[in-house]
Amino acid sequence: IYLKRLIKNLKDLNIKKLILPMEGESQVKFENVDSYVFVLKKICKYSYKFNIEILIESNISPNLFSILKKRINMKNFFLLYDTGNRAFLKENLYQDLLSFGKNVNHIHLKDKNKFNKNVMINTGVVNFLKIFRNLKKISYKKSFTIEATRGKDPMKTAKKNLLYFRNLIKKYK
């Protein structure tokens, strides 16, 4: 009932994406994929009526996501790709982006240091040049959110981050 009301409210507000965080205890794994298929398919079917896309924010592997997507079999089911969260997986975050391809429907631009802590953009382990090169390869034209530490002067940091990413977008357009 809560999700139905939320989806109706999203439609009324003209919001097109519902992001479901699926990390930690909520992480989709090969051993629990069946239990997620039923619930996610139900959510996707209901939200499809309202033209709302369902995105999972997860460190799921491209292979497991492909299985999940195939079993859910809904055109409005996608992945939110978080650069910082994916940076510490055993997989290659740049290759993963290519593997997910058109299934990526929103991106959190985040950087982390070698201790897996959020840091200022372009001071950690994420190579945003590689990210944007690969976004060009998959013809990504969807939305981004910058998730960054604020620093001592949040407005100055925000402007700097915005300028940095605008330049990357222009370069790889």
Side-chain angles (χ1 to χ4, degrees):
I1 293 175
Y2 171 78
L3 266 177
K4 283 184 175 183
R5 197 168 348 126
L6 174 62
I7 290 167
K8 284 179 184 176
N9 288 339
L10 292 176
K11 187 205 180 313
D12 292 343
L13 293 168
N14 200 30
I15 295 171
K16 302 289 183 191
K17 297 176 185 184
L18 174 60
I19 299 166
L20 302 175
M22 300 181 81
E23 291 294 328
E25 292 180 30
S26 301
Q27 181 71 35
V28 180
K29 300 174 186 160
F30 282 102
E31 57 269 14
N32 67 10
V33 72
D34 292 335
S35 59
Y36 282 101
V37 168
F38 175 76
V39 174
L40 288 171
K41 188 168 190 161
K42 207 170 179 178
I43 293 168
C44 287
K45 277 184 176 181
Y46 187 76
S47 64
Y48 187 78
K49 297 181 219 176
F50 299 100
N51 199 27
I52 293 174
E53 298 167 341
I54 301 301
L55 287 71
I56 60 168
E57 181 176 8
S58 174
N59 281 336
I60 192 170
S61 71
N63 182 38
L64 182 53
F65 184 82
S66 179
I67 291 167
L68 187 62
K69 176 121 178 151
K70 197 175 290 181
R71 295 203 34 217
I72 291 171
N73 194 28
M74 293 293 298
K75 292 179 181 185
N76 64 331
F77 180 69
F78 297 97
L79 180 83
L80 181 150
Y81 189 89
D82 187 308
T83 60
N85 291 350
R86 296 199 73 84
F88 286 89
L89 301 177
K90 291 176 186 162
E91 295 82 15
N92 179 318
L93 81 141
Y94 312 105
Q95 182 57 47
D96 277 358
L97 187 53
L98 296 174
S99 298
F100 285 118
K102 299 288 183 194
N103 289 309
V104 175
N105 202 300
H106 184 73
I107 296 175
H108 284 170
L109 298 168
K110 181 180 358 179
D111 208 352
K112 291 197 175 190
N113 65 17
K114 64 182 179 178
F115 305 108
N116 201 14
K117 300 289 181 200
N118 292 352
V119 295
M120 303 284 271
I121 295 295
N122 223 18
T123 65
V125 299
V126 176
N127 183 329
F128 289 102
L129 290 172
K130 281 185 180 180
I131 292 288
F132 277 80
R133 269 190 220 123
N134 286 355
L135 289 174
K136 183 175 183 173
K137 288 178 184 176
I138 64 170
S139 302
Y140 186 81
K141 304 252 189 270
K142 308 250 170 139
S143 55
F144 299 95
T145 301
I146 299 171
E147 290 191 347
T149 57
R150 296 180 190 108
K152 292 178 182 170
D153 185 344
M155 287 302 289
K156 184 177 178 183
T157 302
K159 287 177 185 176
K160 179 181 172 188
N161 290 339
L162 188 58
L163 181 64
Y164 175 73
F165 286 118
R166 276 189 178 155
N167 287 333
L168 280 178
I169 290 168
K170 282 181 194 172
K171 184 175 183 177
Y172 292 103
K173 209 171 181 181

